[in-house]
Amino acid sequence: MKNMNVAHSSDEAEHNPGFAERLAVALKRKGARQNALAHYAECTQQAVSKWLKGHQVPRDKTLMLVAEFLNVTPEYLKFGPSAPLPELPMMLTYVTAAEAELLTRYRESSEKGKRQLWISSQHAEKLAAVDLPKKGISTD
């Protein structure tokens, strides 16, 4: 069933000309196709095409799905990098710099890369932190 909460009028897209560009960059960075985004966001490929051309922008519920699929925030898509940062969940406040970098790289990797990392982690030796190599890793 297709999502009826798909797009705002072209007037809003005219007020937000960078949306289409940020969407295109995030889609390319993920290495995904328009049809995969459409499937995930429960909308049509035509809707995604209109977003990428700057004719429309997705409504809130769909925007949340688009952002989730692309591993970015809805605020980033709508307003750009100067968007206010959302409040971080409590668990993220205890992540070290190295862990944050690993999470970021994981989120930015392709689906194939994520699967390979997951498989590797399942077969990796469980080493104590003192046994891990220190080269290039910050433990801030």
Side-chain angles (χ1 to χ4, degrees):
M1 183 170 154
K2 296 294 178 196
N3 188 342
M4 301 308 288
N5 187 19
V6 174
H8 286 287
S9 71
S10 59
D11 289 342
E12 184 165 333
E14 290 172 15
H15 291 94
N16 195 352
F19 176 84
E21 183 178 329
R22 288 187 293 275
L23 177 63
V25 168
L27 192 61
K28 184 176 182 180
R29 186 176 344 136
K30 183 171 177 78
R33 295 179 182 258
Q34 291 182 32
N35 62 345
L37 174 57
H39 178 73
Y40 192 89
E42 302 173 348
C43 66
T44 65
Q45 288 183 29
Q46 291 81 3
V48 175
S49 178
K50 288 178 183 180
W51 303 337
L52 288 166
K53 291 177 183 174
H55 297 301
Q56 292 182 340
V57 295
R59 293 182 188 243
D60 292 340
K61 181 180 176 186
T62 304
L63 180 64
M64 296 285 283
L65 290 171
V66 170
E68 183 178 284
F69 178 78
L70 297 172
N71 298 319
V72 298
T73 64
E75 293 80 13
Y76 168 77
L77 288 173
K78 285 181 87 170
F79 307 113
S82 61
L85 294 174
E87 189 172 318
L88 294 175
M90 183 58 83
M91 66 177 261
L92 291 182
T93 61
Y94 296 103
V95 174
T96 66
E99 291 166 333
E101 182 178 342
L102 179 62
L103 287 170
T104 300
R105 288 180 185 221
Y106 175 80
R107 288 178 177 165
E108 292 175 349
S109 68
S110 67
E111 292 303 314
K112 182 178 179 182
K114 288 177 183 176
R115 280 193 308 274
Q116 289 173 338
L117 182 59
W118 177 253
I119 291 168
S120 295
S121 71
Q122 297 301 307
H123 299 290
E125 247 183 83
K126 306 297 185 225
L127 298 174
V130 293
D131 296 332
L132 295 175
K134 302 292 184 202
K135 183 179 178 183
I137 297 177
S138 169
T139 57
D140 298 17

